[in-house]
Amino acid sequence: MIEIRRIFTHVEQIQHEFGPVASTPLLRGAIGVVLTNPYAGRYEADILPMMEALQPVGLDMAQRLRAAMDVPAERIEGYGKGAIVGAAGELEHGALWHVPGGYAMRELLGWKGDAKAYAKGQGEEKTGQPGNGLAIVPSTKKVGGPGATLDVPMTHVNAVYVRSHFDAIEVRVPGAPLADEIVFILAMSTGPRVHARVGGLAASAISKWDGLR
């Protein structure tokens, strides 16, 4: 069911955005896998088998992207995912990436899969620590032709309301997807926008991590 044609990786280093040069440059990266859409050209009621088949693809891509960015998992502070479905497919085929793509990155960051894993004990507050991938992974998807671009949203890995980490990375795989293909995308960043200064909840000020703050 999984037939991969290409894997595309993009990493960028941002020194500044018309302001002071950052003491630590921001790294943003994205990886896209181009594969055959087994449901192209027809309506299939049960598409869940592909979601299961994509699980190892997601895990492999998360590892590849971290390696391409050349930073330890602890440095990853933002993430997101997306999909571009070829013209013979439907938007719902892109939604198959929600579980394999999102959970792959959260697992890479040490997410334990259960809120109870972050509790001190009965009746005590959760104590999840940065780097656990507690927050839901933002996502976007579209149907498009070869070379279509997708702005993949990114938010903080542990608290989605951390305003400084609201970001996006533009992804385009030349020549893909063909009509019977899908491009599945993962994206990560190592910090806030390089000149973030619009206030709101600060990552450094959070002592209790629940993914929703």
Side-chain angles (χ1 to χ4, degrees), residues 48-203:
L48 288 178
M50 187 178 181
M51 181 180 287
E52 183 63 30
L54 284 168
Q55 298 283 6
V57 177
L59 293 170
D60 179 63
M61 288 177 64
Q63 293 285 358
R64 284 175 180 260
L65 179 55
R66 187 214 58 77
M69 294 176 70
D70 195 26
V71 295
E74 292 75 19
R75 286 279 314 278
I76 302 300
E77 294 186 17
Y79 54 21
K81 63 184 184 298
I84 307 174
V85 182
E90 61 175 294
L91 192 63
E92 192 67 7
H93 299 159
L96 289 166
W97 192 230
H98 284 306
V99 173
Y103 288 119
M105 288 190 293
R106 296 175 79 182
E107 182 173 317
L108 175 72
L109 301 182
W111 183 64
K112 302 183 189 308
D114 188 338
K116 295 178 182 178
Y118 301 96
K120 288 182 178 179
Q122 187 172 5
E124 297 184 43
E125 293 181 323
K126 292 182 292 185
T127 57
Q129 298 301 312
N132 289 133
L134 299 177
I136 190 171
V137 182
S139 176
T140 190
K141 64 189 75 64
K142 66 187 286 187
V143 174
T149 61
L150 187 70
D151 288 337
V152 180
M154 288 187 285
T155 54
H156 194 279
V157 299
N158 284 328
V160 294
Y161 294 159
V162 175
R163 197 177 296 169
S164 60
H165 287 62
F166 293 174
D167 204 351
I169 184 169
E170 183 179 290
V171 180
R172 173 181 177 271
V173 181
L178 300 177
D180 64 346
E181 293 180 326
I182 305 177
V183 179
F184 288 120
I185 301 162
L186 297 181
M188 297 180 187
S189 69
T190 59
R193 298 181 309 280
V194 72
H195 296 316
R197 57 191 190 281
V198 294
L201 182 65

Side-chain angles (χ1 to χ4, degrees), residues 13-26 192-197:
Q13 183 183 86
I14 302 174
Q15 304 281 354
H16 70 88
E17 296 286 1
F18 308 105
V21 174
S23 57
T24 302
L26 171 65
R193 298 181 309 280
V194 72
H195 296 316
R197 57 191 190 281

